[in-house]
Amino acid sequence: MSTAVQHAEPGFFRKYCWSTDHKIIAMQYLFTGMAMALIGGYLAYVFRMQLGFPNHNVPGFGIVTPGRYNAVVTMHGTIMIFWVAMPVLIAAFGNYLIPLMIGCDDMAFPRINRLSYQVFLLSAIVLLLSFLVKGGAFGGAWTAYPPLSASGAYNLTPLGATLWLVAVALEFVAFLLGGINFTVTVMNSRAPGMKMFDIPIVIWMIVLATVIFMASAGPLIAGAVMLLFDQTMATGFYDPTRGGDPLLWQHLFWFFGHPEVYVVLLPAMGIVAEILAVFARKKLFGYKSMLFSTWAVGILSFVVWAHHQFVAGIDPRMANVFTVTTLLISIPVAELVFLYIATLYGGSIRLDTPMLWALGFLAEFMIGGVTGIFLGSSGTDIYLHDTYFLIAHFHYTFVPIAIISVFAGITFWFPKMFGRMMNETLGKIHFWGTVIPFNVIFIPLFMTGLAGDQRRIYSYAQFAEQSRPALQHLRTLSTVGLLVMLSFQLVFLFNFFWSLRKGKRAEANPWRSTTLEWTVPSPPPHGNFAVLPTVYRGPYEYGLPGRADDYWPQNVPD
Amino acid sequence: MNMDCRAAPTTTGPRTFLIRPAEKPTTMSATAKPIANTRSATGIPTARLITWWVIASEIVIFGGLLSAYLMHRLGHPEWALSADHTNTWAGAFNTFVLLTSSLAAVLAHKAADALDGPRAAKLLRLTVLGGFVFLMVKAFEWTTDIREGFVLSSGGFWSYYYVLTGLHGLHVLAGMVIMLIIAADAAKNQELQRVECIGLYWHFVDIVWIFLFPLLYIAR
Amino acid sequence: MTTETHVHHPNYVKIWAILVALLIVSVVGSFSSIRVVILVAAFGVAFVKAFLVAKNFMHVTVEKRWVPYLLLVMLAFIVILFAGVAPDVMSHGGLHWSNDAAKQSVETGMKAAPKHE
Amino acid sequence: MLERYTTAASTYAHSIDHLFLLILVLVGFWLIVAEAVMFILIFKFRARDGRPTRHVTGEEKELHRWITIPHMLVILCDIAIIIPAIIVWYNIKQAQPPADQTVRVYAQQWAWSFQEPGPDGVLDTADDVRTVGELHVAINTTYHFELMSRDVVHSFAVPAFRLKQDALPGRTITGWFRPNRLGTYDIQCTQMCGIGHALMAGRVIVETRQDHAAWLMQNSNPPVAALPAAPSPLAASPMMAEARR
C-alpha cells in the first residue's frame, strides 16, 4: 500500500491546471464561465445592434446577414444557458461550497471532479470552433428542432450543427460526472453531527439541481445520439418522410428543457437565501417549508414540459393537462418567494453589495415569475408564444438567475475565495449600473412582444404591422439599454481583478456568518479544515437572545 | 492509505459496515483518498453509492431510448417485418452468455466479501470473457444483417436496432475495461469493495439486455 | 479501506438456473403462433428475470430502503415521459391533426409483404 | 389591453384579449403587493445600531399564518386563471364551428402558399385558386385551414387574428378562424425555419363577400396549369430548391 507521498510544492501546471482540489476546480469553472459570459454578451451586443439599428454596420462585427444573425442568436442562447449559467451556478459555486459547507476536505471523487472540468473545457473549445467551420456556427436556434437541425440542406450550417450537438453532448457528460460527485459527497461526507436539516439550504438546492439534471438529461442524451445519426449517417429518426417524427425531438428536448431551467434556478435561490440570512441577521423563515417547496418544485418540474409546445402540433387535449401542471408548479415557487420576503421581517438589514444583489434578484425574479403565468395558461399562449413577450419573460427569470445571483455569490464569497475584500462603492455602482439598464432592455421588449414581434427575426422590414416607427423606437431603446448595461460590466471586471491583488485583506469571517466555510482562513488551505469540524446546530442561528454575538457558528459547541 | 486504524463496526440496517471515524486530514498526495471518500453518513460506502447513481442515470438514458423505440414500434406494425430478420437464436444465446457472466460477477462479489482477492480476480476475468463472447456474437449478427443489406439507414426499425444494440454494446465494452482494471487491483487484495460495484453495473447492463432481447428479437 | 462483513449470499447457481429456465420459456414461447402468448412469454419472463437479478445479484432488497425507491423514481420519470409523448408519436392521428407521413409509411410497409400473418 | 397593441380582426381575438386582461389584473395585483411588502420590510427593518433581530424559526403558527393566507389566495387566483384559460383554449383549438370554407396552407422554406376552393366552393377541383404569399378571405365567414409543411417546422401566425399554429412536416393540422374586420393583415412564421425565416412574410386580405367572389371568379378563370403547379406536399419543391442553392 503506497503511503501518502510527501512531495514538493507543486508547480503552476500541477497546482492550477491538473489539481484535484475542489477549490481550484471551482475557480477553473468560474473563470471559464466568466469568459464564455463575455462571448455570450458580445453575441447579444451584435444581434441587439442589428435589431436596434437595422442593416447598419455593427462595429466589431460587420453587417449582420440573416444567416449570421441566426447563428449569433442560436449561440447566444446555447452559451448563456449551458456554458455560463450551469458552470458558474452549479459547478463553480457547487465545487467551492459543498466540501467547505458540509465540513470535509474535498469531494468524494477528486479525479472524477477534475475529469468533469476537462470534459467541460473540451466542450467549450468544440463549441467555439464551430464558429470557424465552413458555413459558420449552427443557425437553427438553441432548441435545434429537426428537420432543420437534422439536415444541412435545410439549415445551411451542416458542420456547425454537428459540432454544436457534439459540444452540448460533451457538456452533458461533464455535468453528469460533476453531478454524481456532488450528490455522493453531500449524501456521505457530511461532518459528524450535521443532520439532514442542518445542511445549509444552498447545498440542498445545488444537490437537488444536479439530481434533477441527471434525471432529465438522460432522454435528451438518447435524443442527441439519434439526432447525431440523422445528421451524419442518414438515418430517419426525425425525418417524417422515412417513418421518423420531428415532434419526438421536441418532447425529448423539453422533457429536459424545463427541468433544466429549475436546475439553474435552484442554486441561484440557494445563494440568495444564504445572503438574505447573513445580511438580515435573521434565521431563514421556515427552513423546512423552503426545503419541501424545493422538493415539490423538483418533482413537479418533470410534468410540465409541454407548455413549450402548446401550439407546436401536440394534441390540443394534452395542452389542458400541461397548463394545469404548469399553474401547479407556480405554487411552490410562489411559496419560496414569500418565505424569502418573510425572512426580512424582524431583521436588521445591512445593504452591502451582496445584499443589494440578493434583493435585486428577488425584485426582478418576481416580475419574471409573474409574467410566466401569461405563457403558462394555454389560452394566452396562443398569441404570446414565440413573441418578444416570451423573450422578455424568460430573460426576467434567466438574468436574475445567471447574472444577478452570480454577482451576489461572487461579491459574498470573494473574501473567502481570494482572501481580499471587493470595493463596496464600485460594487454599488456596478449593481445600479446593471439592474436599471436591465429593466430598460426588457420592459420595451414586453411591449413589442404584445405588439406581435416574433422572435429570431433579423429584420421586421417584411412585416407591415411590425415596422411601425413606434415599435422600432422601442427596439432601439432596448439596444441602448443593453449598451449601458454592458459598459457597466467593465466596472465589475475592474473591481474583480483589482481587488484580487490590491483589495483590503479579508479575515476568516468578514460578514460574521454562521456556516462552516467561514470558520477556515481565507483563502482556505489545501484540505480545508485543520481539524475536521463537528456540527452542533443548524446553519442560521442569528439574533439569539442572551448571547454576546448575534450569530452562533455551527461548529461552536456550547 | 492509512491501513492501521481499526474502525468500530456499526450495525446500521441489514448490512453491517466498517465505518472509519473522521480524523485529522494528512497532507495528501493526489492519489490518496480524501476523508470525504471514506465517510459514509448514509451507511453506504461512497463507491457503491456512486454506482447506484450511475445506474440511476443509465436507467433514464436507456429508458428514454427504449420508450422512443417502443412508441415507434407500437405505431408502426410494419416494423415487425424487418424485425423478422433478427436472428432470435443469436439473441437467445447472447442472453444466456450475459446471464452466465452475471453469475460469475456475483460469485466474484461473494469471493471479495470473503476477502479472497485472487479468486475474485479470476471470476471477474471470467465475466470479462463472457462479455467478450457476447460482443463476438453481436459482431457476427451485425455482419450477417449488413451483408443482407440492412444497414443503419435502411428504415426505422434498423436505425433503432443498431443504436440500441450499439449503445448497449458500448456499455458492455466499458464494463469489461473497468472490470479488468478492478480485477488487477483485486488480485493484490486491494480495493475489494470495488468488485461489488462493478458487479452491480454489470448486472444492470444484463437487465437492459434482458429487456432488449424480447423487444428486438421476439416481439412480432 | 472499508469492507463489508458478510451480506447474506443466496445460492447463486440455483438462481442462475432459474434464469436460464425462464430464458428457455421465453424462446419456446416465441415459436407459438398466438401473438399474445409470444408477448406474455417474452415480456413476462423479462420482468421476472429483471426482478430476480435485481433482488439476488444486486441485493437491492437488502440495500438501504431508499435505493430501490431512487431507481423506481427514475423509472417513474420515464413512464411520465412515455405518457406525455405517446399521444403524439405513437398514434398517427388525433383531434384536428393527422400524421399523414406515418400513415403512408405504415401503408407502404404493410403493402410490401402482404403474406405476413 | 392587447387591442391597444394589435388590431383584433377575428371573432376569438377578443376572448384572448379579455383573458390577457384578467391575468394582467390578478397577476399585477400580486406583483405589486409582493414588491411593496418587500420594500416596506427592507425600509422598516434596516440596520439600526443596538436593535437586536428577532429570533424567529418560521414554524410559529401566528407568523406562518402571514405566509399561508396569501398563499391560499394565490392558489385561488391560479384557479381563477386556469378555468377561463382552458375555456378559451377549448373554444379555439378543440371546438371548431362548422366551416363555410376550407383553405389549404402550405409552409415551405421561406414562403407561404395557399390553395382556396374556386367559385364552386369545393377544394381539390379544377377551378381551385392557388396563390403564393397572399390569402384572400371573405369577411364574417368561418374558414377551416389545413396546415402542412413541405420541409421543416414552420408556424402559421396571424397576430391580428390571434392565430398561431405550428406546421409540422408530415402532418396535416386543421384549425379555424372567422375574420370580422376588413383590411390586410400580416402572416408571420414564428418558428425558426432557417436563413429565410424573416423573409417568409404573407398577407391576409379580408374583403367583402362580393369583392371576394369577384376575385375568385377573376383568378380561377385562367387554366389552372398557368399557375405554379403545387407539388405534392412531401417532395421538396424544385422551385424552392433552386432558391436555396
Side-chain angles (χ1 to χ4, degrees), chain A residues 9-47:
Chain A
E9 183 57 34
F12 176 84
F13 175 75
R14 282 182 55 74
K15 187 166 192 310
Y16 290 110
C17 305
W18 196 256
S19 158
T20 57
D21 185 333
H22 68 103
K23 298 183 285 300
I24 302 291
I25 294 171
M27 288 306 114
Q28 290 168 340
Y29 269 113
L30 181 67
F31 284 104
T32 314
M34 280 167 71
M36 293 300 268
L38 292 180
I39 296 170
Y42 167 74
L43 298 177
Y45 155 75
V46 166
F47 65 73

Side-chain angles (χ1 to χ4, degrees), chain C residues 82-112:
Chain C
F82 191 94
V85 178
D88 294 327
V89 169
M90 193 160 71
S91 54
H92 295 162
L95 189 62
H96 306 320
W97 64 274
S98 89
N99 190 344
D100 312 333
K103 285 181 183 150
Q104 198 172 343
S105 65
V106 169
E107 214 177 285
T108 43
M110 298 308 272
K111 218 174 12 288

Side-chain angles (χ1 to χ4, degrees), chain D residues 43-58:
Chain D
F43 180 74
K44 192 159 179 293
F45 293 101
R46 64 193 184 286
R48 284 195 296 274
D49 302 344
R51 191 172 58 75
T53 60
R54 291 175 51 131
H55 183 72
V56 164
T57 62

Side-chain angles (χ1 to χ4, degrees), chain A residues 482-540:
Chain A
L482 177 72
L483 295 177
V484 172
M485 178 169 147
L486 284 181
S487 55
F488 270 94
Q489 302 319 310
L490 300 178
V491 173
F492 170 74
L493 288 176
F494 171 75
N495 189 4
F496 186 88
F497 289 105
W498 181 78
S499 309
L500 269 183
R501 283 286 168 272
K502 296 203 178 45
K504 188 163 60 66
R505 194 157 288 285
E507 43 182 88
N509 196 351
W511 314 111
R512 294 185 0 267
S513 164
T514 59
T515 40
L516 290 177
E517 83 270 26
W518 301 105
T519 62
V520 288
S522 334
H526 192 68
N528 294 347
F529 296 91
V531 176
L532 285 170
T534 311
V535 165
Y536 299 93
R537 70 193 57 75
Y540 304 113

Side-chain angles (χ1 to χ4, degrees), chain B residues 12 14 16 18 20 42 45 48-49 52 60 71 74-76 78 81 100 106 109 113 203 210 218 220, chain C residues 1-2 4-6 9 12 16 35 38 58-59 62-64 66-67 74 85 90 92 105-106 109 116:
Chain B
T12 52
T16 55
L18 299 176
R20 71 167 44 282
T42 57
R48 196 160 76 240
L49 183 59
W52 284 120
V60 180
M71 277 182 239
L74 296 173
H76 290 270
E78 85 277 8
L81 313 184
T100 321
V106 78
H109 167 218
D113 259 9
H203 298 313
I210 284 174
I218 294 179
R220 283 290 169 281
Chain C
M1 186 180 66
T2 58
E4 283 83 30
T5 56
H6 292 291
H9 285 296
Y12 290 124
W16 173 75
R35 199 165 182 282
I38 298 171
M58 296 167 93
H59 313 299
V62 175
E63 190 59 281
K64 285 278 180 227
W66 50 266
V67 169
M74 293 291 171
V85 178
M90 193 160 71
H92 295 162
S105 65
V106 169
H116 181 73

Side-chain angles (χ1 to χ4, degrees), chain A residues 351-354 411 421-429 495 511:
Chain A
L351 293 178
D352 295 339
T353 318
T411 46
M421 299 295 286
M422 287 183 86
N423 184 298
E424 270 302 310
T425 38
L426 286 180
K428 288 191 168 64
I429 296 167
N495 189 4
W511 314 111

